[in-house]
Amino acid sequence: MSNKYKANKSRGRHVYQYFSQKNQAPLKVESFLELCVAAQMECEPNIVAYAAQPESLHLHDSITNKTIRYTPDFLIKYANGTAAFIEVHHSSHITKDFQSRLALFNEYSLKTANVPIVLVDERQLTPMIYTNLQLIANRRSARLSCTLNHADLPELLTFEALVDWLKPRSQTSVGDAYHLVGAGFYQFDKSQLLLASTTLNKVMLS
């Protein structure tokens, strides 16, 4: 997945540059909210690659007889081979007209490429959540350095205790601990900064 779009400030938007370890390339996003979403995708194990502002979709408007264009914020590729466009939008700006326009392009994208457009807003992404996601994304191991069974993982402990538990089992205990948290094996209070003393709760398999 290549990022074909080069963002710049001449478009009147503030640009953030983000280095993606998952893509091994720098990405440019156009808002802090997009930066939060990028950090979340960086930690999501089911997403194998993603690109910012990947391509534009074009439709003919029969009412105005003009071509209308839409550029999604991200294109993501899942581990199962499927893909999705991501539109990042503040909830206060999600109007009926915007929803109608997005639905039109979603129908077109599904029909022509079988790729849906997924709308994401800010209501579950705060600056502290972003800080934690960025911390995990920057420090986690790309892959676990050892084989672990979910049933053997401790159920309730601090992050520091998880690192200590991993030391005799893992070549990179700190990175693997961040990997386990980022991959969703453990939950913690994301409204607080992830520290050595942070309590982790193992997520039980359904």
Side-chain angles (χ1 to χ4, degrees):
M1 237 181 239
S2 61
N3 182 359
K4 295 181 276 187
Y5 175 75
K6 301 296 183 183
N8 57 73
K9 290 184 179 180
S10 65
R11 298 179 77 246
R13 300 178 182 179
H14 192 86
V15 175
Y16 295 84
Q17 183 160 317
Y18 179 90
F19 184 82
S20 166
Q21 293 187 1
K22 184 169 285 187
N23 295 292
Q24 284 298 294
L27 299 179
K28 290 181 179 179
V29 296
E30 296 183 333
S31 70
F32 181 75
L33 183 55
E34 287 182 24
L35 192 64
C36 292
V37 174
Q40 188 175 43
M41 291 189 294
E42 194 73 22
C43 296
E44 173 54 59
N46 292 325
I47 295 175
V48 296
Y50 61 96
Q53 281 77 37
E55 59 185 278
S56 294
L57 306 180
H58 298 83
L59 279 176
H60 178 72
D61 189 337
S62 59
I63 298 177
T64 62
N65 199 31
K66 294 181 179 180
T67 298
I68 55 176
R69 185 184 71 173
Y70 163 69
T71 303
D73 294 310
F74 295 99
L75 171 62
I76 60 177
K77 181 179 180 182
Y78 293 104
N80 64 5
T82 61
F85 288 118
I86 302 296
E87 171 63 28
V88 181
H89 221 69
H90 198 281
S91 59
S92 62
H93 297 152
I94 300 176
T95 63
K96 289 184 178 180
D97 287 343
F98 171 80
Q99 290 176 315
S100 297
R101 177 184 171 91
L102 196 65
L104 188 66
F105 278 102
N106 180 56
E107 181 181 0
Y108 170 77
S109 183
L110 283 170
K111 183 178 179 180
T112 58
N114 198 30
V115 176
I117 299 174
V118 180
L119 179 61
V120 176
D121 63 38
E122 84 293 345
R123 282 172 284 192
Q124 294 180 337
L125 292 168
T126 66
M128 181 54 70
I129 289 176
Y130 165 71
T131 299
N132 282 317
L133 288 170
Q134 185 182 47
L135 177 68
I136 294 167
N138 289 341
R139 297 186 180 182
R140 72 185 181 94
S141 303
R143 294 180 179 83
L144 289 174
S145 64
C146 58
T147 300
L148 297 171
N149 293 319
H150 182 273
D152 296 333
L153 294 173
E155 293 190 6
L156 180 67
L157 74 175
T158 64
F159 184 83
E160 182 178 31
L162 178 60
V163 173
D164 290 339
W165 183 85
L166 286 167
K167 282 180 180 177
R169 301 169 173 84
S170 164
Q171 298 176 2
T172 54
S173 57
V174 174
D176 285 351
Y178 280 109
H179 180 101
L180 290 171
V181 175
F185 287 92
Y186 286 96
Q187 291 182 339
F188 68 99
D189 182 2
K190 292 184 177 65
S191 68
Q192 304 295 321
L193 184 63
L194 177 59
L195 301 170
S197 59
T198 297
T199 299
L200 306 177
N201 290 279
K202 186 172 75 168
V203 176
M204 307 307 293
L205 297 178
S206 57

